[in-house]
Amino acid sequence: MSRGTWSTPGSTPSRWYRTASPAEIPANILLAEQFAERFDGFSIGSNDLTQLTLGVDRDSDLLAHLFDERDPAVTRSIEALMATAHAAGRTVGLCGQRPSNDPDFTRYLVDAGIDSVSVVPDSFAAVKQHVAAAEGGAG
């Protein structure tokens, strides 16, 4: 739901709700400046962003080995979105399995300036430790 439905574009975000634009297709990242006028933040679906950026079906036995969120095309997209969003005072979160399984990817996200990471409950403790380590804290 866009902020425009509830408020005037450019107005102060509501304290009662927050809206996020999906950032799963490259077009939303390329047009992030315009989306930032209507939304409070962005939510990167890393699996879909990777699949659509690389043109690789992660469920294909023939192509799955090419599916990688660390591919430069994907990481540059994530970094570009964060730069644009943060310049507009908007947040960026990421949901996807990779931070749950890969402490190095979690460190990359923290170093790049991610505002939040959504994970499944059974991986929460591990990801919390990965984020704390990346931020230089205990855990």
Side-chain angles (χ1 to χ4, degrees), residues 29 44 46 49-50 68-83 86 92 94 98-99 102-115 117 130-131 133-135:
I29 293 173
I44 300 169
S46 64
L49 177 62
T50 301
D68 185 3
E69 291 96 334
R70 300 289 311 237
D71 185 280
V74 178
T75 58
R76 287 180 191 165
S77 294
I78 291 170
E79 293 162 11
L81 175 63
M82 285 196 276
H86 290 158
V92 179
L94 181 132
R98 187 75 181 248
D102 184 349
D104 289 334
F105 189 69
T106 304
R107 175 174 295 284
Y108 157 74
L109 292 171
V110 170
D111 290 345
I114 198 77
D115 295 297
V117 177
H130 299 163
V131 170
E135 290 178 337

Side-chain angles (χ1 to χ4, degrees), residues 46-68:
S46 64
N47 292 334
D48 288 336
L49 177 62
T50 301
Q51 184 166 289
L52 294 169
T53 299
L54 301 179
V56 173
D57 180 356
R58 68 179 180 261
D59 296 324
S60 166
D61 291 337
L62 297 173
L63 301 174
H65 68 282
L66 300 172
F67 184 90
D68 185 3

